[in-house]
Amino acid sequence: MRKNIAVAAGLWLAGALLALAQAAPIAVVAAESTYGVIAEAIGGPYVRVTSIIRNPNVDPHQFEASPATARTVARAAIVVMNGLGYDDWMRKLLAANPAPGRAVVVAAALAPALVMADRNPHLFYDPRVGNLVASGLAALLAKRDPAHAADFARNLQTFEQGTLQVETAARRLSAQHPKLAVTATEPVYGYMLRLLGWRSAGEAFQFNVMNGTEPSPSVVARYQDALRQRRVALLIYNKQVSEPLTQRMRDIARQAGVPTVGVDEFVPPGTGYAAWLLDSLQAVRQALAKGAR
């Protein structure tokens, strides 16, 4: 009798521990808030998401991880990062804090066919990449928490409906302004420009700025001439970066009557992924309409 009671108690305890484990939110750490909001959209209340870089004023290229960041990553069940050298600090943290059961989602590895030949790291501006990350997360979450697999699947469907709206908006904008030549202070918006079918001019200048390399005088001269002679329809600048050279280019654009639009390197807090992309397209549409007057 005592043996039966002990077995029953053991089974009850095991079941209670299993239920508790399933009830606890899955710890997800995103290198940038762009991927954090995707994880939140898919996981809902069944995940606890920490985005390491979430302040819109932080330059991801210059970010340095702290010991507190390392501890957060060490406790993660799932880590989501960009790849392409954009967040190599995360790779170092993962190597320093190995965990056999931890899953790592690298956006660039999910979408090798979508990575530009110049290996522009800002691939999160392509909604198709967002879909791949969301789908990968849904599969991982369902594996770790099968009781809520249907919830993750529904959330993924809702997410994909949002990115479909982005692609539709991009097609409409492209039809209104086909095959534009535009430029940027950095190639942050390059993947969206590709989706729009627009040509990105002055890329030598853009990549120099992104990589912290001083552009040559000839590169600067060509870039300035394109603005002054209005050979480009739009100048896109990175809101996270403010330095004399890029500010001068923005001033030249305004003096020449070239519209300018600021974009973020990652989703600001409180904004959904699709809404973020749609907001940027709306800003571009309004700038072009204003410039055409």
Side-chain angles (χ1 to χ4, degrees):
M1 181 68 176
R2 289 180 180 176
K3 183 178 180 181
N4 290 339
I5 292 174
V7 170
L11 291 173
W12 177 86
L13 180 60
L17 290 174
L18 179 60
L20 182 62
Q22 289 176 337
I26 299 169
V28 180
V29 172
E32 300 86 19
S33 61
T34 304
Y35 299 112
V37 299
I38 295 176
E40 289 171 346
I42 303 304
Y46 309 113
V47 296
R48 184 180 68 254
V49 179
T50 303
S51 296
I52 304 302
I53 303 181
R54 56 187 182 276
N55 185 338
N57 296 318
V58 173
D59 184 352
H61 301 281
Q62 299 177 1
F63 178 78
E64 294 184 8
S66 67
T69 300
R71 290 191 293 271
T72 299
V73 172
R75 293 191 293 265
I78 300 174
V79 171
V80 195
M81 59 184 293
N82 188 78
L84 294 177
Y86 190 75
D87 38 22
D88 272 349
W89 53 270
M90 178 61 86
R91 288 194 182 280
K92 295 174 183 177
L93 291 181
L94 292 171
N97 298 277
R102 182 173 56 211
V104 179
V105 177
V106 183
L110 294 178
L114 295 176
V115 175
M116 288 181 168
D118 56 21
R119 296 186 66 77
N120 182 340
H122 306 95
L123 71 170
F124 38 79
Y125 263 107
D126 189 326
R128 296 171 296 181
V129 174
N131 282 343
L132 288 171
V133 172
S135 179
L137 283 170
L140 284 174
L141 292 172
K143 185 177 181 181
R144 289 177 178 269
D145 184 2
H148 298 109
D151 296 281
F152 303 140
R154 281 192 296 270
N155 292 344
L156 175 60
Q157 186 176 32
T158 300
F159 182 89
E160 291 174 339
Q161 289 171 352
T163 54
L164 180 60
Q165 292 178 19
V166 175
E167 294 185 48
T168 300
R171 284 195 296 272
R172 289 174 179 168
L173 182 57
S174 178
Q176 291 170 356
H177 304 277
K179 298 181 180 179
L180 286 186
V182 303
T183 193
T185 56
E186 290 187 59
V188 175
Y189 209 56
Y191 284 86
M192 183 59 78
L193 295 180
R194 180 180 67 179
L195 195 65
L196 289 164
W198 295 351
R199 181 173 66 85
S200 179
E203 290 199 333
F205 179 91
Q206 296 181 44
F207 276 84
N208 283 157
V209 172
M210 183 188 75
N211 295 323
T213 304
E214 187 72 23
S216 69
S218 61
V219 167
V220 173
R222 286 195 298 271
Y223 192 92
Q224 291 175 332
D225 287 346
L227 291 172
R228 288 179 173 136
Q229 298 171 19
R230 300 195 65 174
R231 295 200 300 268
V232 291
L234 185 71
L235 169 65
I236 297 168
Y237 64 90
N238 184 351
K239 292 180 182 178
Q240 267 75 43
V241 177
S242 179
E243 55 184 32
L245 179 60
T246 56
Q247 184 58 54
R248 187 167 85 239
M249 297 307 170
R250 290 171 59 187
D251 292 340
I252 291 172
R254 280 193 288 267
Q255 292 164 8
V258 175
T260 64
V261 174
V263 297
D264 294 299
E265 285 223 25
F266 48 90
V267 179
T271 305
Y273 178 71
W276 176 60
L277 295 179
L278 287 169
D279 285 348
S280 74
L281 288 170
Q282 178 64 11
V284 168
R285 179 182 293 105
Q286 291 175 344
L288 290 172
K290 184 178 180 181
R293 293 174 185 169

